[in-house]
Amino acid sequence: MSLDIATVEALAERLEDCELQARDTLKITDDYPELGWEDAYAIQDEIRRRKIDRGVRIVGLKAGLTSHAKMRQMGVNTPVFGFLADYFSVPEGGGIAMRELIHPKVEPEIAFVTKAALRGPGCHIGAVLAATDFIMPALEIIDSRYRDFKFDLKSVVADNCSSSRFVVGGRIGAPARFDLRTLGVVLEKNGTPVAFGAGAAVLGHPAQALAMLANELGKRGEEIPAGTLVLSGGITEAVSVQAGDNLTLRMQSLGSVSVRFY
Ligand code: OOG
Ligand code: MG
């Protein structure tokens, strides 16, 4: 760890203020080029602590940068992990006010809900599937607090991996009934299909995203608790949106989920 606690707290406040006031900022590694992984997760943990202190509930976890499409789009090569707060949740078919966000983008994702705890090291896709209660379609709305969505891995981890809003809906499916690698997704913007993919785009198998998350948490003595919603990461590139746009994700056999921007 290269940062002292006062600096971690100041950076967490700066990034969270940007989130809450819909303002952008320069990436923090511009000022702290030595920022390490521990520093980055310490800043994210401090943002989480600030929210919990204000009475916000943490309602889920997410993996990001888990597909080649996303890694290529953002110019990075390692998955990252973040948390979902209660007010990130938007009802299926609901609306999001553009003035609350900076420059949102939408990603089609497979959401998992666990029925047993997952703890690393050694967590694998078999353990994840055995611990999965059900899967369902999800749209994640990411909104990097960094200017022009430009960042490096440590800056994005500190910024809670651009987390902003999410919508789950459609049907729930028992994981044993599907080959998650070939589960197809179509993302539509205003009725036009704009991105396509299948589950295998996420690390070869989307359950691998949860295995990696459990293994990462295991290093810190933490786990994915039973009953946790986990977003496994964007299957395709993220799609930019503006006021007036309607986004729909259609997932093979699992129905659809929509959100609109105003
Ligand atoms: C980082 C968050 C990525 C995903 O699903 O890949 C993410 C970003 O691209 O801003 O949520
Ligand atoms: Mg995502």
Side-chain angles (χ1 to χ4, degrees), residues 51-184:
K51 292 192 190 304
I52 291 171
D53 273 4
R54 287 198 307 272
V56 171
R57 284 187 58 224
I58 305 306
V59 298
L61 300 173
K62 69 172 254 187
L65 305 175
T66 50
S67 68
H68 290 296
K70 284 286 311 181
M71 291 191 216
R72 205 180 321 112
Q73 182 179 30
M74 304 322 297
V76 298
N77 55 14
T78 319
V80 290
F81 306 102
F83 66 84
L84 304 172
D86 54 13
Y87 66 93
F88 294 2
S89 173
V90 176
E92 143 66 8
I96 297 174
M98 287 298 287
R99 75 181 130 68
E100 289 178 11
L101 305 183
I102 306 162
H103 42 202
K105 296 185 190 181
V106 175
E107 307 178 314
E109 305 206 11
I110 300 170
F112 289 67
V113 175
T114 59
K115 61 183 175 189
L118 283 165
R119 182 181 272 261
C123 187
H124 50 76
I125 61 174
V128 173
L129 293 175
T132 298
D133 197 355
F134 55 83
I135 56 164
M136 65 195 305
L139 288 170
E140 189 188 17
I141 294 89
I142 53 170
D143 193 32
S144 176
R145 269 53 70 171
Y146 298 120
R147 190 148 308 159
D148 303 325
F149 244 99
K150 291 217 168 64
F151 50 68
D152 46 52
L153 279 172
K154 284 153 192 157
S155 294
V156 76
V157 164
D159 183 31
N160 191 24
C161 303
S162 311
S163 303
S164 174
R165 299 287 185 270
F166 68 92
V167 195
V168 289
R171 297 199 202 114
I172 65 173
R177 288 194 45 235
F178 299 91
D179 181 346
L180 297 188
R181 295 169 303 177
T182 54
L183 194 65

Side-chain angles (χ1 to χ4, degrees), residues 28 47 74 160 176 186 247:
I28 57 178
I47 294 175
M74 304 322 297
N160 191 24
V186 178
L247 277 289

